[in-house]
Amino acid sequence: MSSTDYRTQVRANYRKLSESIQGFKPRRQQNFLVAEIGKVLLGQYDLSRRILVAEAGTGIGKSLAYLQACIPWARLSNKKVIISTATLALQEQLINKDLPLFHPHCQPSFIYTLAKGRARYCCRQRLQDLLQGKSQIGMFDTADTLTPAQQSQLTTLWQALEQNDWAGDRDSWPEPIADALWQQIQTERHSCQPQLGHIHCPFHQARASLDKADVIVVNHALLLADLSMGGGIILPEPETCIYVLDEAHHIAHIAREQGSARLALRSARRNLEQFNKQVPTMAATLKDEGQSAITRSQQALQQLIPSLTELYRQLQAAQRAGDLIPDDQGCLRFAAGELPELLSHSLSTLKDEHKQLAQGLTRLQNELAEALKRQPGNSAVSGAMTAVSLQQLHTDEALGLCELMLKAIGPGHTPPARWLEQGKNDITLCATPLAVGHLLEQWCWSRAAAVIMVSATFTALNDFSYFRRAVGLRHDDGSQYLRLNSPFDYPGSKLIIPQLSCEPQDPGFDELLATEIPRWLENAGASLVLFSSYRQMNTVAEALRDTGHSLLVQGEAGRQALLDLHRMKCDGGQPSVLFGTGSFAEGLDLPGHYLTNLIITKLPFAVPTSPVEEAMAEWITLSGGNPFMQLTVPEASRKLIQACGRLLRTETDQGRIIVLDRRLLTRSYGPALLSALPPFTRET
C-alpha cells in the first residue's frame, strides 16, 4: 500500500460522506485529527512504533475521525480494527449510529460487528441440563430449587434457541433474566469444550462472525482479558490489529483489575470438598484408562484441603492474638506489600499444592476428552468435563493469587497492593498490581500494528505525564501526543466561584450547601448538582425538600428513568433539578435546554480509602514523592474537567458552572486546576 493510495481513498471517502449529510459543516479539528492519525499509521513519525495519544475535546467528532483514518488503512494493509470503549453508551453509539453512517461511503468496504464476553451468551448444554434437572455447576439435582416461573422461562429460552428465534445472548432477550439463573446457563471459558460441539453454540457462532469482520467493537475489559491471556484467544492476534482505544483514560484502572487476584479460603475449601465428592463418579466413568489422572488429582486434593483449613485457622488465631488487626471495614493491608512470615510460608505451600492439582486436572481433562471421542454424546462424561473445567478455573485463580502475593519485587520496582478482607464467614486474600505499564507494553504497545488512544481528558494540569506514567509510555519511545481544543463557545458561558464562609472539610459545610444551593437554583431551567458522596447528597436533598424543592435524586430511580423524567420536565417548560454523584460527572449527555446550570459542590479529590489507593500513596511516599501532588491533584484535575464537560455538549450550548469550593481561590494548587479548565468566563 502506498501513502498516495491511502490519502486518495481517505479524501474520496470524506467527500462522499460530506455530500450525504444535509447541512454538513467541515470541522477543522476533526480533519486535523484524521490527518495526524494517518501520519502515525503511515509511519511518518516512527515506523516501528505507531502509537498516538490524542486528547480531543467534546464536539470535535473523535469517533468519525478515527473511523475515517483507520478503516481504509486497515483494509489496504490487511489488518483488523478493534475499537474498544469504556462505556456501553459509546458502544451503542458506534454500532447504531457512527459505523452505519460511515459504512455506505467507505472504500474499501468493510464488515463490522460487536464482540461481547462469554458471560453474555447462553451455553446450550448447560441450559438443556438445567431443564432436565441437573446443574453442571455441581452436577446435582436442581428440580426442587427452580421456581415454576424459572422453569417456564428456561423452557421459553430453550424453545427460542432451538427454533433460531434467539441468538443466545442475554442482551437480545426482551425480558430480564435474573442473575442467579443466568449464572447457571452462561458460557464459561473452562466449561466450554470443543468436544461438546460448537456448531450450535451461541458463543462460538458469535465468535465465528468475528473472523469475517474487519471492524470489531469491544469494551476495555474484554480487550484486556484477551490481551492478558496472550492475545488471539477471543479477538485477532495483536500483530494483525489496529487498536482504537476510545475513553482510553480508563485503561490503566481496568488493566489493574485484570491483573488482580482473590482467594476466599473457606469458599475455596468448600469447592474442593464438593469436587472431591464427584471424583469417584468420574473414576467409574473413566474406568481403567484414567486411573492415574484420578489418583494424582485425589492426592493433590488430600493435601490442599487441609492446607486451606490450617491457613484459615492460623489467620483467625493471629487476629485473636492481636498480631493481625483488620480495620473497621475488615481490611488489613500489608504495608509496602510485605507479608507476615506465617502467610508467606503458607502461601508457598499452597502455591506448590495448587500446581500439583492443576497438573492432575489437566491430565484428567485429557482423559475425559478421549473418553468423549470414544463415546460421543455421553452425558456422564460431558458433565464430568464441565465439573473438571470449573475446578480448573478456580485452581488457576488461586494459583494466580499465590504467585502475585509471593512475587519478589526488585529494587525500585513498585510492589503490588496486598491485603486480606475479614468477612462474616470467610477470610479473603487479595492482591492487585499497582504499576501496570509494563503489562500494557508487553500485552499491547510492543505487539500491535498500531494503537490510537483518544479521550477528552488525558491531560492533568495541562500535561500528559500523569497518563503516560500510568500506562507505561515514555516521552522518548516514539509515541506521539496531540491535544485539540473543543470548538465550543466556552467564553460564552460562566464559571462562578462564590466567596463562601467555609470549606468542604469544615463541620458546617452540609448546612452551608443547604442554604447556598437554593440561591443558584432560582430562575434556573435545567440544573445538575454534583456531590462527592451519597451521604452528603441525601442530606442536602432532604433539607431542600423540607423547604419545598422538587428534586430528581440519583439512586431513587434508575439512571435512565431519572434522565427521561428530567427531559420531559424540560420539554414541558418546567424547572428540573438533578442531584447526582461522581458517576453523573462522566458520560452524561444533556445538550441544549436539558442543562444550563451546573453546580459542583466540591472539588473531586479522592480520599485514599481503598487498599489499592493507600498502597499507591504509600509507595510514592517511600520513593520520596508527594502523593497529594503526584496522585490526588492530577486525578482531581481530570475529574473536574470531566464534570465541567457536562455543561456544553453542542456548539450552540450556553450556561453557567458554579463551584462551591473556595479552595480553588485559596490553595496553592487552585491556579493549576483553574488553568487546566476550558476558557469559561470566570466570576468570583
Side-chain angles (χ1 to χ4, degrees), residues 291-308:
Q291 291 312 303
S292 62
I294 291 286
T295 300
R296 184 163 187 170
S297 299
Q298 285 179 320
Q299 288 173 344
L301 288 166
Q302 288 163 6
Q303 291 179 315
L304 189 49
I305 292 171
S307 294
L308 287 167

PDB file of all heavy atoms in Angstrom, residues 291-308:
ATOM      1  N   GLN A 291      -7.200 -43.871  35.552  1.00  0.00           N
ATOM      2  CA  GLN A 291      -6.968 -44.034  36.982  1.00  0.00           C
ATOM      3  C   GLN A 291      -5.742 -43.262  37.476  1.00  0.00           C
ATOM      4  O   GLN A 291      -5.734 -42.757  38.598  1.00  0.00           O
ATOM      5  CB  GLN A 291      -6.841 -45.520  37.336  1.00  0.00           C
ATOM      6  CG  GLN A 291      -8.144 -46.287  37.199  1.00  0.00           C
ATOM      7  CD  GLN A 291      -9.314 -45.570  37.868  1.00  0.00           C
ATOM      8  OE1 GLN A 291      -9.270 -45.276  39.059  1.00  0.00           O
ATOM      9  NE2 GLN A 291     -10.355 -45.269  37.099  1.00  0.00           N
ATOM     10  N   SER A 292      -4.689 -43.166  36.665  1.00  0.00           N
ATOM     11  CA  SER A 292      -3.506 -42.424  37.120  1.00  0.00           C
ATOM     12  C   SER A 292      -3.827 -40.946  37.290  1.00  0.00           C
ATOM     13  O   SER A 292      -3.367 -40.300  38.245  1.00  0.00           O
ATOM     14  CB  SER A 292      -2.351 -42.607  36.129  1.00  0.00           C
ATOM     15  OG  SER A 292      -2.698 -42.077  34.855  1.00  0.00           O
ATOM     16  N   ALA A 293      -4.635 -40.398  36.369  1.00  0.00           N
ATOM     17  CA  ALA A 293      -5.034 -38.990  36.490  1.00  0.00           C
ATOM     18  C   ALA A 293      -5.933 -38.791  37.702  1.00  0.00           C
ATOM     19  O   ALA A 293      -5.815 -37.785  38.425  1.00  0.00           O
ATOM     20  CB  ALA A 293      -5.739 -38.536  35.215  1.00  0.00           C
ATOM     21  N   ILE A 294      -6.838 -39.753  37.937  1.00  0.00           N
ATOM     22  CA  ILE A 294      -7.716 -39.685  39.109  1.00  0.00           C
ATOM     23  C   ILE A 294      -6.885 -39.707  40.390  1.00  0.00           C
ATOM     24  O   ILE A 294      -7.083 -38.892  41.310  1.00  0.00           O
ATOM     25  CB  ILE A 294      -8.714 -40.865  39.108  1.00  0.00           C
ATOM     26  CG1 ILE A 294      -9.723 -40.707  37.968  1.00  0.00           C
ATOM     27  CG2 ILE A 294      -9.403 -40.994  40.455  1.00  0.00           C
ATOM     28  CD1 ILE A 294     -10.765 -39.655  38.190  1.00  0.00           C
ATOM     29  N   THR A 295      -5.938 -40.618  40.454  1.00  0.00           N
ATOM     30  CA  THR A 295      -5.099 -40.759  41.654  1.00  0.00           C
ATOM     31  C   THR A 295      -4.309 -39.480  41.916  1.00  0.00           C
ATOM     32  O   THR A 295      -4.232 -39.011  43.066  1.00  0.00           O
ATOM     33  CB  THR A 295      -4.135 -41.941  41.484  1.00  0.00           C
ATOM     34  OG1 THR A 295      -4.903 -43.135  41.283  1.00  0.00           O
ATOM     35  CG2 THR A 295      -3.259 -42.104  42.710  1.00  0.00           C
ATOM     36  N   ARG A 296      -3.737 -38.919  40.861  1.00  0.00           N
ATOM     37  CA  ARG A 296      -2.924 -37.708  41.040  1.00  0.00           C
ATOM     38  C   ARG A 296      -3.783 -36.547  41.535  1.00  0.00           C
ATOM     39  O   ARG A 296      -3.374 -35.794  42.424  1.00  0.00           O
ATOM     40  CB  ARG A 296      -2.265 -37.338  39.710  1.00  0.00           C
ATOM     41  CG  ARG A 296      -1.330 -36.156  39.810  1.00  0.00           C
ATOM     42  CD  ARG A 296      -0.415 -36.086  38.620  1.00  0.00           C
ATOM     43  NE  ARG A 296       0.582 -35.055  38.774  1.00  0.00           N
ATOM     44  CZ  ARG A 296       1.622 -34.895  37.976  1.00  0.00           C
ATOM     45  NH1 ARG A 296       1.824 -35.735  36.980  1.00  0.00           N
ATOM     46  NH2 ARG A 296       2.485 -33.921  38.173  1.00  0.00           N
ATOM     47  N   SER A 297      -4.994 -36.418  40.990  1.00  0.00           N
ATOM     48  CA  SER A 297      -5.887 -35.340  41.427  1.00  0.00           C
ATOM     49  C   SER A 297      -6.309 -35.545  42.880  1.00  0.00           C
ATOM     50  O   SER A 297      -6.345 -34.591  43.674  1.00  0.00           O
ATOM     51  CB  SER A 297      -7.120 -35.275  40.518  1.00  0.00           C
ATOM     52  OG  SER A 297      -6.749 -34.999  39.186  1.00  0.00           O
ATOM     53  N   GLN A 298      -6.629 -36.791  43.243  1.00  0.00           N
ATOM     54  CA  GLN A 298      -7.049 -37.063  44.626  1.00  0.00           C
ATOM     55  C   GLN A 298      -5.925 -36.787  45.615  1.00  0.00           C
ATOM     56  O   GLN A 298      -6.162 -36.248  46.701  1.00  0.00           O
ATOM     57  CB  GLN A 298      -7.521 -38.515  44.741  1.00  0.00           C
ATOM     58  CG  GLN A 298      -8.889 -38.766  44.123  1.00  0.00           C
ATOM     59  CD  GLN A 298      -9.312 -40.207  44.223  1.00  0.00           C
ATOM     60  OE1 GLN A 298      -8.503 -41.117  44.044  1.00  0.00           O
ATOM     61  NE2 GLN A 298     -10.595 -40.446  44.521  1.00  0.00           N
ATOM     62  N   GLN A 299      -4.702 -37.147  45.263  1.00  0.00           N
ATOM     63  CA  GLN A 299      -3.568 -36.889  46.150  1.00  0.00           C
ATOM     64  C   GLN A 299      -3.387 -35.388  46.386  1.00  0.00           C
ATOM     65  O   GLN A 299      -3.138 -34.949  47.519  1.00  0.00           O
ATOM     66  CB  GLN A 299      -2.298 -37.485  45.554  1.00  0.00           C
ATOM     67  CG  GLN A 299      -2.246 -39.013  45.603  1.00  0.00           C
ATOM     68  CD  GLN A 299      -1.065 -39.587  44.871  1.00  0.00           C
ATOM     69  OE1 GLN A 299      -0.419 -38.896  44.066  1.00  0.00           O
ATOM     70  NE2 GLN A 299      -0.754 -40.864  45.132  1.00  0.00           N
ATOM     71  N   ALA A 300      -3.525 -34.588  45.292  1.00  0.00           N
ATOM     72  CA  ALA A 300      -3.389 -33.138  45.434  1.00  0.00           C
ATOM     73  C   ALA A 300      -4.504 -32.569  46.302  1.00  0.00           C
ATOM     74  O   ALA A 300      -4.278 -31.692  47.149  1.00  0.00           O
ATOM     75  CB  ALA A 300      -3.396 -32.477  44.049  1.00  0.00           C
ATOM     76  N   LEU A 301      -5.724 -33.075  46.135  1.00  0.00           N
ATOM     77  CA  LEU A 301      -6.854 -32.610  46.936  1.00  0.00           C
ATOM     78  C   LEU A 301      -6.660 -32.943  48.410  1.00  0.00           C
ATOM     79  O   LEU A 301      -6.976 -32.128  49.295  1.00  0.00           O
ATOM     80  CB  LEU A 301      -8.148 -33.247  46.426  1.00  0.00           C
ATOM     81  CG  LEU A 301      -8.670 -32.731  45.076  1.00  0.00           C
ATOM     82  CD1 LEU A 301      -9.739 -33.661  44.526  1.00  0.00           C
ATOM     83  CD2 LEU A 301      -9.217 -31.316  45.216  1.00  0.00           C
ATOM     84  N   GLN A 302      -6.129 -34.115  48.692  1.00  0.00           N
ATOM     85  CA  GLN A 302      -5.926 -34.534  50.080  1.00  0.00           C
ATOM     86  C   GLN A 302      -4.879 -33.680  50.791  1.00  0.00           C
ATOM     87  O   GLN A 302      -4.873 -33.582  52.021  1.00  0.00           O
ATOM     88  CB  GLN A 302      -5.536 -36.016  50.117  1.00  0.00           C
ATOM     89  CG  GLN A 302      -6.700 -36.950  49.796  1.00  0.00           C
ATOM     90  CD  GLN A 302      -6.259 -38.353  49.427  1.00  0.00           C
ATOM     91  OE1 GLN A 302      -5.069 -38.681  49.519  1.00  0.00           O
ATOM     92  NE2 GLN A 302      -7.202 -39.179  48.997  1.00  0.00           N
ATOM     93  N   GLN A 303      -3.980 -33.076  50.035  1.00  0.00           N
ATOM     94  CA  GLN A 303      -3.006 -32.150  50.627  1.00  0.00           C
ATOM     95  C   GLN A 303      -3.577 -30.748  50.744  1.00  0.00           C
ATOM     96  O   GLN A 303      -3.377 -30.038  51.740  1.00  0.00           O
ATOM     97  CB  GLN A 303      -1.746 -32.108  49.761  1.00  0.00           C
ATOM     98  CG  GLN A 303      -0.924 -33.389  49.783  1.00  0.00           C
ATOM     99  CD  GLN A 303       0.296 -33.273  48.880  1.00  0.00           C
ATOM    100  OE1 GLN A 303       0.219 -32.792  47.757  1.00  0.00           O
ATOM    101  NE2 GLN A 303       1.442 -33.729  49.382  1.00  0.00           N
ATOM    102  N   LEU A 304      -4.289 -30.314  49.692  1.00  0.00           N
ATOM    103  CA  LEU A 304      -4.706 -28.911  49.586  1.00  0.00           C
ATOM    104  C   LEU A 304      -5.826 -28.557  50.553  1.00  0.00           C
ATOM    105  O   LEU A 304      -5.816 -27.487  51.174  1.00  0.00           O
ATOM    106  CB  LEU A 304      -5.134 -28.633  48.138  1.00  0.00           C
ATOM    107  CG  LEU A 304      -5.410 -27.182  47.720  1.00  0.00           C
ATOM    108  CD1 LEU A 304      -4.286 -26.263  48.154  1.00  0.00           C
ATOM    109  CD2 LEU A 304      -5.611 -27.114  46.210  1.00  0.00           C
ATOM    110  N   ILE A 305      -6.803 -29.432  50.703  1.00  0.00           N
ATOM    111  CA  ILE A 305      -7.941 -29.128  51.580  1.00  0.00           C
ATOM    112  C   ILE A 305      -7.484 -28.876  53.022  1.00  0.00           C
ATOM    113  O   ILE A 305      -7.867 -27.860  53.630  1.00  0.00           O
ATOM    114  CB  ILE A 305      -8.998 -30.248  51.492  1.00  0.00           C
ATOM    115  CG1 ILE A 305      -9.652 -30.234  50.105  1.00  0.00           C
ATOM    116  CG2 ILE A 305     -10.057 -30.081  52.583  1.00  0.00           C
ATOM    117  CD1 ILE A 305     -10.557 -31.420  49.829  1.00  0.00           C
ATOM    118  N   PRO A 306      -6.652 -29.735  53.623  1.00  0.00           N
ATOM    119  CA  PRO A 306      -6.168 -29.435  54.989  1.00  0.00           C
ATOM    120  C   PRO A 306      -5.317 -28.161  55.045  1.00  0.00           C
ATOM    121  O   PRO A 306      -5.345 -27.449  56.057  1.00  0.00           O
ATOM    122  CB  PRO A 306      -5.332 -30.668  55.351  1.00  0.00           C
ATOM    123  CG  PRO A 306      -5.830 -31.756  54.449  1.00  0.00           C
ATOM    124  CD  PRO A 306      -6.211 -31.078  53.175  1.00  0.00           C
ATOM    125  N   SER A 307      -4.555 -27.859  53.986  1.00  0.00           N
ATOM    126  CA  SER A 307      -3.714 -26.648  53.986  1.00  0.00           C
ATOM    127  C   SER A 307      -4.562 -25.396  54.048  1.00  0.00           C
ATOM    128  O   SER A 307      -4.240 -24.438  54.777  1.00  0.00           O
ATOM    129  CB  SER A 307      -2.828 -26.623  52.741  1.00  0.00           C
ATOM    130  OG  SER A 307      -1.894 -27.680  52.757  1.00  0.00           O
ATOM    131  N   LEU A 308      -5.655 -25.354  53.281  1.00  0.00           N
ATOM    132  CA  LEU A 308      -6.561 -24.202  53.324  1.00  0.00           C
ATOM    133  C   LEU A 308      -7.214 -24.078  54.699  1.00  0.00           C
ATOM    134  O   LEU A 308      -7.340 -22.971  55.241  1.00  0.00           O
ATOM    135  CB  LEU A 308      -7.635 -24.341  52.240  1.00  0.00           C
ATOM    136  CG  LEU A 308      -7.180 -24.118  50.795  1.00  0.00           C
ATOM    137  CD1 LEU A 308      -8.250 -24.591  49.823  1.00  0.00           C
ATOM    138  CD2 LEU A 308      -6.851 -22.648  50.546  1.00  0.00           C
TER     139      LEU A 308
END
